[in-house]
């Protein structure tokens, strides 16, 4: 039977003082999680990671996609700052 799995990653606290501290990402992720979990809307099995270090998020992403079947539906959502390098990537 196909499964519906979602990983929602929200980062709003930063050690880099040049990055503005955000308020909305945590609330956005929690609101989306509530909607995705609702069986009348989407019925996903949802994991939320808030302000976790890179290695924790990386492990969660690996677990999200590990041993998935072709008919599973997966959703990876990130909310927070995005940065570009000197080459614009």
């Amino acid at each position: 039977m196909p499964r519906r799995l979602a990983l929602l990653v929200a980062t709003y606290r930063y050690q880099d003082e040049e990055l503005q501290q955000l308020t909305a990402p945590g609330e956005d992720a929690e609101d989306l999680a509530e909607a995705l979990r609702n069986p009348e809307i989407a019925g996903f099995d949802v994991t939320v990671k808030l302000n976790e270090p890179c290695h924790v998020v990386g492990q969660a992403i690996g677990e999200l996609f590990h041993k998935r079947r072709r008919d599973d539906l997966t959703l990876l959502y990130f909310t927070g700052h995005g940065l570009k390098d000197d080459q614009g990537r």
Side-chain angles (χ1 to χ4, degrees):
M1 176 173 204
R3 295 175 22 165
R4 294 171 166 250
L5 303 143
L7 172 61
L8 312 181
V9 179
T11 302
Y12 51 91
R13 281 192 239 125
Y14 300 92
Q15 292 178 348
D16 187 336
E17 293 178 8
E18 292 185 24
L19 292 175
Q20 178 184 0
Q21 302 301 306
L22 302 173
T23 57
E27 294 173 20
D28 292 347
E30 293 293 349
D31 289 346
L32 180 57
E34 184 179 336
L36 289 172
R37 285 184 182 116
N38 186 327
E40 294 180 13
I41 297 173
F44 274 77
D45 178 9
V46 180
T47 301
V48 178
K49 298 292 183 186
L50 299 175
N51 292 312
E52 293 288 351
C54 184
H55 72 278
V56 172
V57 172
Q59 181 178 357
I61 292 170
E63 290 170 4
L64 175 67
F65 293 110
H66 184 69
K67 294 187 179 178
R68 292 299 145 237
R69 296 182 303 240
R70 182 172 278 199
D71 57 349
D72 288 341
L73 179 59
T74 56
L75 171 69
L76 174 59
Y77 171 84
F78 173 80
T79 179
H81 279 298
L83 299 175
K84 289 185 179 183
D85 65 14
D86 292 338
Q87 288 73 41
R89 296 180 286 195

